[in-house]
Amino acid sequence: MSTTPQKSWIPGADNSDFPLAHLPMGVRVRPDGSHALVSRIGDQVVDLRVLAEIGVFDDTKADRKDFAQKSLNQLIGRGKAVTSAVRTRLAACLDDDPGYWDLRSRKEIFLLPAKQAKLVLPIEVGDYTDFYSSIEHATNVGTMFRDPANALLPNWKHLPVGYHGRASSIMVSGTPIHRPKGQTTPGEDGKPGFGESKLLDFELEMAFVVGQGNKLGAPIDVKNAEDHIFGIALFNDWSARDIQKWEYVPLGPFLGKSFSSTISPWITPLEALEPVRLASPKQDPTPLPYLQHAGSNNFDIKLEVYITPEGGEPSKVCASNTKYLYWSMAQQLAHHTVNGCNLRPGDVCASGTISGPTPDSYGSMLELSWKGTKPVTLSDGSTRKFIQDGDTVTMKAFVDGGGVKFALGSVEAKCV
Ligand code: MN
């Protein structure tokens, strides 16, 4: 579709976080308990199921029933050509051209105030993979826990390192986080500790959602990889550092990660991000041919993290950007499938913590407080090494460039 932003007939929409250039996708539960796929413009939620039932998407190769599902999976599994056609048609309904003029007189049947819409987890996540694609984050962690002179392990610049995460505990923004219990590193008596994690942390990540999958044994070529990515969403990959530290050798993260991750209710289609494409950082050494792709494969998306103490005001503790990611989403997807592994619609691949080059851009408390040695001061004067009970962690993301400006759906969770 054209990425030229057009004006909407909905008052104020084009100066909001959700202008016509954005049109994210999500799922609502209606008061009668049924589900509907939705989008958002200005302060209005657009019920796509209503539009589908009056035939608006009939010539897009989407089925009317796709819009009445509990998740986006069925629709996005049809592939990029279909989801792009739906997006183009939706934009035509909401833009200033008179093509769908008759809908305006019936707007109350498909628009409702965002505050009245109950949004749910927008995808059924069959599998969740977490990568480790920020060179700054990997370098910081390697420096803290291993050897500053050899912070990156020998494989890191040759492949996007990742592990298989837990899909069942991915929750939609707003779901509380329960502090996990687990084993921790033995003390002087040689016995492991056990109890609630004392080192609860967030990880600022961006997740991509797989649209059309691939068959077992049929890898996805890096050059076509974005055809298999429906969109992206902010993602907080909660981590218990003390549990993680004791358990992770030799098979990697387990209970220190699997207790929960939080995802935005709004998935932003890749098409909306075209205006803020940019080149990834230069890769040296050049990766193997199956990971090589020319052109602009990264995105300029500003990221922020806030901590709000119980009853207090939010303090910004981090400002980062997806442009720092060393490995692109296309490279992650090509690597994930190069062995023939099949991905399915709704699978989630998260980037790994996105840290930038400066200390105020680090995407976890582990790095911001440098393993607890440099407490972070909040606006009320209190300090944090890690996340305390009652704290709410909020992640925000913005694009501002190429003629478009909008905010991606935020991610928020309170530690209880
Ligand atoms: Mn992670």
Side-chain angles (χ1 to χ4, degrees), residues 128 130 163 203 205 237 257 352-353:
Y128 156 47
D130 196 25
Y163 70 95
E203 290 192 333
E205 306 201 15
D237 187 36
K257 298 279 190 176
T353 306

Side-chain angles (χ1 to χ4, degrees), residues 384-401:
R384 294 290 183 282
K385 296 174 180 174
F386 290 90
I387 299 302
Q388 295 182 0
D389 288 352
D391 287 350
T392 297
V393 175
T394 306
M395 296 177 173
K396 298 182 180 182
F398 309 89
V399 301
D400 186 3

Side-chain angles (χ1 to χ4, degrees), residues 77-376:
R78 295 187 187 279
K80 188 70 89 177
V82 176
T83 53
S84 285
V86 167
R87 176 178 168 79
T88 301
R89 178 58 47 83
L90 175 61
C93 292
L94 299 171
D95 77 16
D96 241 356
D97 291 333
Y100 290 84
W101 193 269
D102 61 313
L103 283 175
R104 300 183 201 191
S105 60
R106 296 187 283 160
K107 64 177 192 268
E108 65 282 354
I109 67 168
F110 65 94
L111 292 181
L112 72 156
K115 284 178 188 160
Q116 291 176 19
K118 186 184 177 203
L119 300 178
V120 295
L121 186 68
I123 37 178
E124 279 174 74
V125 187
D127 279 295
Y128 156 47
T129 302
D130 196 25
F131 284 94
Y132 195 50
S133 290
S134 158
I135 194 166
E136 287 85 2
H137 173 68
T139 302
N140 286 340
V141 173
T143 300
M144 275 186 264
F145 290 104
R146 285 191 306 273
D147 173 10
N150 298 287
L152 291 180
L153 287 169
N155 60 5
W156 200 91
K157 286 189 168 181
H158 294 281
L159 53 83
V161 169
Y163 70 95
H164 288 290
R166 183 77 196 167
S168 68
S169 55
I170 294 178
M171 298 291 152
V172 73
S173 178
T175 309
I177 290 295
H178 297 274
R179 185 175 294 272
K181 287 180 181 169
Q183 284 197 30
T184 54
T185 306
E188 287 179 1
D189 63 1
K191 293 178 183 165
F194 181 80
E196 288 189 339
S197 170
K198 295 184 177 68
L199 308 182
L200 182 64
D201 200 356
F202 59 79
E203 290 192 333
L204 170 62
E205 306 201 15
M206 190 64 78
F208 70 80
V209 176
V210 174
Q212 191 169 47
N214 62 305
K215 290 198 171 74
L216 186 68
I220 294 171
D221 190 290
V222 69
K223 295 178 184 65
N224 308 325
E226 287 190 359
D227 292 343
H228 294 265
I229 298 173
F230 166 65
I232 66 169
L234 268 172
F235 193 84
N236 183 349
D237 187 36
W238 292 94
S239 300
R241 301 300 181 192
D242 38 4
I243 298 171
Q244 182 183 356
K245 186 182 178 193
W246 171 229
E247 74 177 0
Y248 86 101
V249 178
L251 288 185
F254 188 29
L255 304 183
K257 298 279 190 176
S258 63
F259 57 95
S260 204
S261 303
T262 311
I263 193 168
S264 167
W266 292 117
I267 314 295
T268 297
L270 275 198
E271 292 94 324
L273 300 164
E274 289 300 328
V276 292
R277 265 190 191 278
L278 81 178
S280 297
K282 183 172 165 44
Q283 296 186 323
D284 182 17
T286 302
L288 289 171
Y290 81 92
L291 291 170
Q292 292 175 14
H293 56 0
S296 300
N297 302 294
N298 206 341
F299 298 92
D300 180 2
I301 306 172
K302 296 165 182 60
L303 306 170
E304 295 175 347
V305 184
Y306 296 79
I307 296 174
T308 309
E310 181 89 63
E313 296 296 317
S315 295
K316 183 158 71 173
V317 295
C318 163
S320 187
N321 195 305
T322 54
K323 71 183 179 184
Y324 299 127
L325 288 168
Y326 187 88
W327 294 105
S328 70
M329 293 187 286
Q331 288 175 318
Q332 292 166 25
L333 194 56
H335 183 66
H336 203 317
T337 62
V338 73
N339 66 344
C341 173
N342 54 323
L343 298 185
R344 295 174 293 185
D347 283 357
V348 165
C349 294
S351 58
T353 306
I354 306 170
S355 295
T358 56
D360 60 352
S361 65
Y362 295 166
S364 65
M365 290 304 288
L366 177 70
E367 295 161 271
L368 289 166
S369 76
W370 206 255
K371 224 168 47 169
T373 62
K374 296 178 183 172
V376 174

Side-chain angles (χ1 to χ4, degrees), residues 25-28 35-39 45-50 65-73 75-76 122:
M25 298 274 277
V27 177
R28 72 178 281 225
H35 290 77
L37 270 53
V38 289
S39 186
V45 161
V46 187
D47 190 309
L48 302 177
R49 180 175 173 178
V50 171
K65 293 194 182 76
D66 294 347
F67 299 90
Q69 303 297 314
K70 290 181 176 174
S71 73
L72 297 168
N73 290 37
L75 177 68
I76 66 178

